[in-house]
């Protein structure tokens, strides 16, 4: 199964809705397919300059390392030299903060990732998960 534009739009719409429910700061959201190609992206009015870049780095980092960025951040805390090397080797395409979440189909296969930046990592991640679930998909380490 491939991630569709309709699914990506649902993820974005519901992530934004969750952000407004949670009174989040303005968000930037990037949805990538399994090959890290952009499917859809949005930047709310007022989102700061680097938010889109950070959101994309969260999504591509999750895909590239095969884990949500929350997991990667925990791993980086105990192995910072390796993760600094990964960030350098990938030209900065990895952000070590929650908000990069793998998207899985109903069978558990990774079909993409969503990256959100704008508020705390925890809020960004909660918005991403809300969007993924609204699209009828699963996330992260769930299978």
């Amino acid at each position: 199964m491939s991630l569709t534009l309709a699914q990506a739009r649902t993820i974005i719409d519901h992530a934004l809705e969750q952000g407004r429910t949670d009174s989040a700061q303005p968000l930037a959201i990037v949805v990538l397919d399994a090959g890290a190609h952009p499917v859809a992206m949005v930047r709310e009015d007022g989102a700061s300059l680097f938010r889109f870049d950070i959101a994309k780095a969260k999504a591509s980092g999750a895909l590239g390392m095969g884990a949500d960025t929350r997991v990667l951040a925990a791993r980086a805390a105990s192995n910072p030299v390796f993760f600094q090397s990964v960030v350098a080797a990938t030209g900065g395409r990895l952000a070590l903060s929650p908000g990069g979440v793998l998207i899985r189909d109903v069978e558990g296969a990774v079909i993409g990732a969503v990256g959100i930046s704008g508020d705390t990592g925890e809020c960004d991640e909660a918005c991403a998960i809300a969007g993924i679930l609204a699209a009828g998909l699963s996330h992260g380490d769930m299978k």
Side-chain angles (χ1 to χ4, degrees), residues 30 42 45 47 73 87 113-114 127 132 138:
V30 176
V42 67
D45 295 343
V87 171
V114 59
C127 293
I132 293 167
S138 63

Side-chain angles (χ1 to χ4, degrees), residues 51 54-55 57-59 61-62 67-76 83 87 94-101 114-125 128:
R51 292 298 174 187
I54 296 166
K58 287 181 180 185
D68 292 354
T69 54
R70 169 178 297 285
V71 172
L72 298 176
R75 290 179 187 166
F83 280 91
V87 171
L94 171 63
L96 297 169
S97 175
V101 181
V114 59
I116 300 182
S117 181
D119 206 276
T120 65
E122 290 71 24
C123 180
D124 294 345
E125 180 181 63

